[in-house]
Amino acid sequence: MELTYTQFEVLQLVVRRKGLSKSELCSGLPFTQEVISRTLKELTKNKLVNLRQAGIKPTQKAWDVLEPYRVKRAVILAAGMGTRMRPETQNTPKPMVRVGNKRIIETQIEALLKAGIDDITIVRGYLSHKFDVLLD
């Protein structure tokens, strides 16, 4: 099924933030209320969303239609020397510096995994061997 740009944007927001009201949808997108209303009617007709009192809900068909657009892989660029963070980065690459009790890069990896992205490539350069602890 092919979607228009407006249908794609509306559907994507409905999937990301399940249970939105029509007014919340309007405030989250750069379209007029009239355009969003028309688009919701089209999406309902195509059985991609259900309009309920509890909010706008995506159907399984919506998930299936959006699947080819889902991000499946990520690249983290972590090859810099972090010279502005010296002396902290003298012996540690910047992404491996701890902020609180977590390394900077761990926060990024956790966010990617939470989003369902588990094919992660880390481009490393400066002190690249220090990243090997992440393999565990």
PDB file of all heavy atoms in Angstrom, residues 26-49:
ATOM      1  N   CYS A  26      -2.989  17.259  16.023  1.00  0.00           N
ATOM      2  CA  CYS A  26      -2.860  18.541  15.314  1.00  0.00           C
ATOM      3  C   CYS A  26      -1.692  19.365  15.847  1.00  0.00           C
ATOM      4  O   CYS A  26      -0.996  20.019  15.076  1.00  0.00           O
ATOM      5  CB  CYS A  26      -4.156  19.342  15.430  1.00  0.00           C
ATOM      6  SG  CYS A  26      -5.523  18.661  14.483  1.00  0.00           S
ATOM      7  N   SER A  27      -1.478  19.308  17.163  1.00  0.00           N
ATOM      8  CA  SER A  27      -0.380  20.102  17.733  1.00  0.00           C
ATOM      9  C   SER A  27       0.984  19.480  17.452  1.00  0.00           C
ATOM     10  O   SER A  27       2.000  20.158  17.525  1.00  0.00           O
ATOM     11  CB  SER A  27      -0.575  20.292  19.238  1.00  0.00           C
ATOM     12  OG  SER A  27      -0.426  19.070  19.909  1.00  0.00           O
ATOM     13  N   GLY A  28       1.014  18.189  17.094  1.00  0.00           N
ATOM     14  CA  GLY A  28       2.281  17.512  16.842  1.00  0.00           C
ATOM     15  C   GLY A  28       2.704  17.488  15.389  1.00  0.00           C
ATOM     16  O   GLY A  28       3.763  16.959  15.068  1.00  0.00           O
ATOM     17  N   LEU A  29       1.878  18.060  14.509  1.00  0.00           N
ATOM     18  CA  LEU A  29       2.182  18.016  13.071  1.00  0.00           C
ATOM     19  C   LEU A  29       1.990  19.384  12.420  1.00  0.00           C
ATOM     20  O   LEU A  29       1.154  20.168  12.866  1.00  0.00           O
ATOM     21  CB  LEU A  29       1.263  16.996  12.377  1.00  0.00           C
ATOM     22  CG  LEU A  29       1.480  15.533  12.742  1.00  0.00           C
ATOM     23  CD1 LEU A  29       0.333  14.680  12.241  1.00  0.00           C
ATOM     24  CD2 LEU A  29       2.800  15.037  12.168  1.00  0.00           C
ATOM     25  N   PRO A  30       2.722  19.655  11.351  1.00  0.00           N
ATOM     26  CA  PRO A  30       2.636  20.969  10.698  1.00  0.00           C
ATOM     27  C   PRO A  30       1.521  21.050   9.649  1.00  0.00           C
ATOM     28  O   PRO A  30       1.699  21.651   8.593  1.00  0.00           O
ATOM     29  CB  PRO A  30       4.016  21.099  10.036  1.00  0.00           C
ATOM     30  CG  PRO A  30       4.356  19.695   9.663  1.00  0.00           C
ATOM     31  CD  PRO A  30       3.794  18.849  10.778  1.00  0.00           C
ATOM     32  N   PHE A  31       0.374  20.432   9.927  1.00  0.00           N
ATOM     33  CA  PHE A  31      -0.741  20.446   8.988  1.00  0.00           C
ATOM     34  C   PHE A  31      -1.942  21.111   9.648  1.00  0.00           C
ATOM     35  O   PHE A  31      -2.063  21.108  10.874  1.00  0.00           O
ATOM     36  CB  PHE A  31      -1.127  19.023   8.567  1.00  0.00           C
ATOM     37  CG  PHE A  31       0.007  18.209   8.025  1.00  0.00           C
ATOM     38  CD1 PHE A  31       0.404  17.039   8.648  1.00  0.00           C
ATOM     39  CD2 PHE A  31       0.695  18.614   6.884  1.00  0.00           C
ATOM     40  CE1 PHE A  31       1.452  16.282   8.150  1.00  0.00           C
ATOM     41  CE2 PHE A  31       1.755  17.863   6.380  1.00  0.00           C
ATOM     42  CZ  PHE A  31       2.137  16.703   7.016  1.00  0.00           C
ATOM     43  N   THR A  32      -2.851  21.619   8.832  1.00  0.00           N
ATOM     44  CA  THR A  32      -4.053  22.232   9.380  1.00  0.00           C
ATOM     45  C   THR A  32      -4.972  21.147   9.931  1.00  0.00           C
ATOM     46  O   THR A  32      -4.853  19.969   9.571  1.00  0.00           O
ATOM     47  CB  THR A  32      -4.818  23.017   8.296  1.00  0.00           C
ATOM     48  OG1 THR A  32      -5.276  22.094   7.303  1.00  0.00           O
ATOM     49  CG2 THR A  32      -3.940  24.087   7.651  1.00  0.00           C
ATOM     50  N   GLN A  33      -5.903  21.562  10.759  1.00  0.00           N
ATOM     51  CA  GLN A  33      -6.850  20.621  11.348  1.00  0.00           C
ATOM     52  C   GLN A  33      -7.693  19.974  10.242  1.00  0.00           C
ATOM     53  O   GLN A  33      -8.009  18.782  10.317  1.00  0.00           O
ATOM     54  CB  GLN A  33      -7.743  21.348  12.347  1.00  0.00           C
ATOM     55  CG  GLN A  33      -8.579  20.425  13.179  1.00  0.00           C
ATOM     56  CD  GLN A  33      -9.256  21.149  14.321  1.00  0.00           C
ATOM     57  OE1 GLN A  33      -9.087  22.341  14.518  1.00  0.00           O
ATOM     58  NE2 GLN A  33     -10.037  20.424  15.092  1.00  0.00           N
ATOM     59  N   GLU A  34      -8.006  20.739   9.221  1.00  0.00           N
ATOM     60  CA  GLU A  34      -8.793  20.214   8.106  1.00  0.00           C
ATOM     61  C   GLU A  34      -8.036  19.101   7.370  1.00  0.00           C
ATOM     62  O   GLU A  34      -8.604  18.055   7.054  1.00  0.00           O
ATOM     63  CB  GLU A  34      -9.115  21.353   7.127  1.00  0.00           C
ATOM     64  CG  GLU A  34      -9.944  20.938   5.947  1.00  0.00           C
ATOM     65  CD  GLU A  34     -10.186  22.104   4.992  1.00  0.00           C
ATOM     66  OE1 GLU A  34     -10.367  23.239   5.469  1.00  0.00           O
ATOM     67  OE2 GLU A  34     -10.181  21.853   3.769  1.00  0.00           O
ATOM     68  N   VAL A  35      -6.752  19.320   7.129  1.00  0.00           N
ATOM     69  CA  VAL A  35      -5.929  18.314   6.446  1.00  0.00           C
ATOM     70  C   VAL A  35      -5.817  17.058   7.302  1.00  0.00           C
ATOM     71  O   VAL A  35      -5.935  15.934   6.798  1.00  0.00           O
ATOM     72  CB  VAL A  35      -4.532  18.887   6.103  1.00  0.00           C
ATOM     73  CG1 VAL A  35      -3.570  17.806   5.662  1.00  0.00           C
ATOM     74  CG2 VAL A  35      -4.654  19.961   5.035  1.00  0.00           C
ATOM     75  N   ILE A  36      -5.626  17.225   8.590  1.00  0.00           N
ATOM     76  CA  ILE A  36      -5.508  16.071   9.486  1.00  0.00           C
ATOM     77  C   ILE A  36      -6.829  15.311   9.562  1.00  0.00           C
ATOM     78  O   ILE A  36      -6.847  14.078   9.517  1.00  0.00           O
ATOM     79  CB  ILE A  36      -5.004  16.498  10.872  1.00  0.00           C
ATOM     80  CG1 ILE A  36      -3.520  16.908  10.763  1.00  0.00           C
ATOM     81  CG2 ILE A  36      -5.173  15.377  11.902  1.00  0.00           C
ATOM     82  CD1 ILE A  36      -2.907  17.451  11.996  1.00  0.00           C
ATOM     83  N   SER A  37      -7.944  16.010   9.629  1.00  0.00           N
ATOM     84  CA  SER A  37      -9.253  15.351   9.657  1.00  0.00           C
ATOM     85  C   SER A  37      -9.472  14.532   8.392  1.00  0.00           C
ATOM     86  O   SER A  37      -9.910  13.374   8.458  1.00  0.00           O
ATOM     87  CB  SER A  37     -10.370  16.384   9.797  1.00  0.00           C
ATOM     88  OG  SER A  37     -10.320  16.988  11.051  1.00  0.00           O
ATOM     89  N   ARG A  38      -9.164  15.123   7.244  1.00  0.00           N
ATOM     90  CA  ARG A  38      -9.320  14.414   5.972  1.00  0.00           C
ATOM     91  C   ARG A  38      -8.407  13.181   5.928  1.00  0.00           C
ATOM     92  O   ARG A  38      -8.817  12.096   5.528  1.00  0.00           O
ATOM     93  CB  ARG A  38      -9.029  15.354   4.803  1.00  0.00           C
ATOM     94  CG  ARG A  38      -9.286  14.718   3.438  1.00  0.00           C
ATOM     95  CD  ARG A  38      -9.035  15.647   2.269  1.00  0.00           C
ATOM     96  NE  ARG A  38      -7.626  15.959   2.162  1.00  0.00           N
ATOM     97  CZ  ARG A  38      -7.100  17.190   2.271  1.00  0.00           C
ATOM     98  NH1 ARG A  38      -7.861  18.235   2.486  1.00  0.00           N
ATOM     99  NH2 ARG A  38      -5.794  17.372   2.150  1.00  0.00           N
ATOM    100  N   THR A  39      -7.173  13.352   6.395  1.00  0.00           N
ATOM    101  CA  THR A  39      -6.203  12.253   6.391  1.00  0.00           C
ATOM    102  C   THR A  39      -6.650  11.128   7.319  1.00  0.00           C
ATOM    103  O   THR A  39      -6.530   9.947   6.974  1.00  0.00           O
ATOM    104  CB  THR A  39      -4.809  12.773   6.782  1.00  0.00           C
ATOM    105  OG1 THR A  39      -4.449  13.827   5.885  1.00  0.00           O
ATOM    106  CG2 THR A  39      -3.766  11.677   6.728  1.00  0.00           C
ATOM    107  N   LEU A  40      -7.184  11.463   8.487  1.00  0.00           N
ATOM    108  CA  LEU A  40      -7.679  10.439   9.413  1.00  0.00           C
ATOM    109  C   LEU A  40      -8.835   9.650   8.797  1.00  0.00           C
ATOM    110  O   LEU A  40      -8.932   8.440   8.978  1.00  0.00           O
ATOM    111  CB  LEU A  40      -8.105  11.071  10.736  1.00  0.00           C
ATOM    112  CG  LEU A  40      -6.979  11.466  11.678  1.00  0.00           C
ATOM    113  CD1 LEU A  40      -7.522  12.241  12.872  1.00  0.00           C
ATOM    114  CD2 LEU A  40      -6.191  10.254  12.128  1.00  0.00           C
ATOM    115  N   LYS A  41      -9.695  10.342   8.057  1.00  0.00           N
ATOM    116  CA  LYS A  41     -10.792   9.638   7.370  1.00  0.00           C
ATOM    117  C   LYS A  41     -10.236   8.648   6.355  1.00  0.00           C
ATOM    118  O   LYS A  41     -10.709   7.514   6.251  1.00  0.00           O
ATOM    119  CB  LYS A  41     -11.714  10.644   6.680  1.00  0.00           C
ATOM    120  CG  LYS A  41     -12.626  11.367   7.626  1.00  0.00           C
ATOM    121  CD  LYS A  41     -13.500  12.362   6.891  1.00  0.00           C
ATOM    122  CE  LYS A  41     -14.277  13.210   7.889  1.00  0.00           C
ATOM    123  NZ  LYS A  41     -15.008  14.300   7.258  1.00  0.00           N
ATOM    124  N   GLU A  42      -9.214   9.074   5.606  1.00  0.00           N
ATOM    125  CA  GLU A  42      -8.587   8.188   4.615  1.00  0.00           C
ATOM    126  C   GLU A  42      -7.942   6.988   5.299  1.00  0.00           C
ATOM    127  O   GLU A  42      -8.087   5.847   4.848  1.00  0.00           O
ATOM    128  CB  GLU A  42      -7.530   8.953   3.812  1.00  0.00           C
ATOM    129  CG  GLU A  42      -8.069  10.064   2.942  1.00  0.00           C
ATOM    130  CD  GLU A  42      -6.991  11.042   2.469  1.00  0.00           C
ATOM    131  OE1 GLU A  42      -5.803  10.902   2.853  1.00  0.00           O
ATOM    132  OE2 GLU A  42      -7.348  11.965   1.720  1.00  0.00           O
ATOM    133  N   LEU A  43      -7.225   7.236   6.398  1.00  0.00           N
ATOM    134  CA  LEU A  43      -6.552   6.153   7.113  1.00  0.00           C
ATOM    135  C   LEU A  43      -7.557   5.190   7.745  1.00  0.00           C
ATOM    136  O   LEU A  43      -7.327   3.985   7.784  1.00  0.00           O
ATOM    137  CB  LEU A  43      -5.605   6.728   8.178  1.00  0.00           C
ATOM    138  CG  LEU A  43      -4.404   7.518   7.646  1.00  0.00           C
ATOM    139  CD1 LEU A  43      -3.655   8.181   8.802  1.00  0.00           C
ATOM    140  CD2 LEU A  43      -3.479   6.640   6.834  1.00  0.00           C
ATOM    141  N   THR A  44      -8.684   5.720   8.212  1.00  0.00           N
ATOM    142  CA  THR A  44      -9.739   4.877   8.771  1.00  0.00           C
ATOM    143  C   THR A  44     -10.366   4.019   7.669  1.00  0.00           C
ATOM    144  O   THR A  44     -10.583   2.820   7.853  1.00  0.00           O
ATOM    145  CB  THR A  44     -10.816   5.742   9.455  1.00  0.00           C
ATOM    146  OG1 THR A  44     -10.195   6.530  10.466  1.00  0.00           O
ATOM    147  CG2 THR A  44     -11.895   4.879  10.086  1.00  0.00           C
ATOM    148  N   LYS A  45     -10.626   4.643   6.540  1.00  0.00           N
ATOM    149  CA  LYS A  45     -11.213   3.924   5.397  1.00  0.00           C
ATOM    150  C   LYS A  45     -10.298   2.781   4.949  1.00  0.00           C
ATOM    151  O   LYS A  45     -10.760   1.701   4.585  1.00  0.00           O
ATOM    152  CB  LYS A  45     -11.441   4.896   4.242  1.00  0.00           C
ATOM    153  CG  LYS A  45     -12.068   4.275   3.028  1.00  0.00           C
ATOM    154  CD  LYS A  45     -12.225   5.296   1.924  1.00  0.00           C
ATOM    155  CE  LYS A  45     -12.677   4.604   0.638  1.00  0.00           C
ATOM    156  NZ  LYS A  45     -12.657   5.525  -0.482  1.00  0.00           N
ATOM    157  N   ASN A  46      -8.985   3.000   5.004  1.00  0.00           N
ATOM    158  CA  ASN A  46      -8.011   1.982   4.613  1.00  0.00           C
ATOM    159  C   ASN A  46      -7.664   1.025   5.757  1.00  0.00           C
ATOM    160  O   ASN A  46      -6.720   0.241   5.653  1.00  0.00           O
ATOM    161  CB  ASN A  46      -6.732   2.643   4.082  1.00  0.00           C
ATOM    162  CG  ASN A  46      -6.949   3.297   2.742  1.00  0.00           C
ATOM    163  OD1 ASN A  46      -7.643   2.768   1.881  1.00  0.00           O
ATOM    164  ND2 ASN A  46      -6.364   4.469   2.560  1.00  0.00           N
ATOM    165  N   LYS A  47      -8.409   1.138   6.853  1.00  0.00           N
ATOM    166  CA  LYS A  47      -8.244   0.257   8.022  1.00  0.00           C
ATOM    167  C   LYS A  47      -6.822   0.324   8.630  1.00  0.00           C
ATOM    168  O   LYS A  47      -6.269  -0.683   9.053  1.00  0.00           O
ATOM    169  CB  LYS A  47      -8.614  -1.180   7.673  1.00  0.00           C
ATOM    170  CG  LYS A  47     -10.069  -1.354   7.277  1.00  0.00           C
ATOM    171  CD  LYS A  47     -10.371  -2.796   6.983  1.00  0.00           C
ATOM    172  CE  LYS A  47     -11.784  -3.138   6.659  1.00  0.00           C
ATOM    173  NZ  LYS A  47     -12.745  -2.214   6.244  1.00  0.00           N
ATOM    174  N   LEU A  48      -6.278   1.541   8.670  1.00  0.00           N
ATOM    175  CA  LEU A  48      -4.958   1.734   9.265  1.00  0.00           C
ATOM    176  C   LEU A  48      -5.041   2.310  10.676  1.00  0.00           C
ATOM    177  O   LEU A  48      -4.109   2.158  11.462  1.00  0.00           O
ATOM    178  CB  LEU A  48      -4.099   2.637   8.375  1.00  0.00           C
ATOM    179  CG  LEU A  48      -3.762   2.048   7.007  1.00  0.00           C
ATOM    180  CD1 LEU A  48      -3.115   3.098   6.123  1.00  0.00           C
ATOM    181  CD2 LEU A  48      -2.851   0.847   7.147  1.00  0.00           C
ATOM    182  N   VAL A  49      -6.149   2.996  10.984  1.00  0.00           N
ATOM    183  CA  VAL A  49      -6.351   3.525  12.335  1.00  0.00           C
ATOM    184  C   VAL A  49      -7.794   3.293  12.762  1.00  0.00           C
ATOM    185  O   VAL A  49      -8.694   3.149  11.929  1.00  0.00           O
ATOM    186  CB  VAL A  49      -6.029   5.041  12.455  1.00  0.00           C
ATOM    187  CG1 VAL A  49      -4.588   5.331  12.151  1.00  0.00           C
ATOM    188  CG2 VAL A  49      -6.952   5.878  11.600  1.00  0.00           C
TER     189      VAL A  49
END
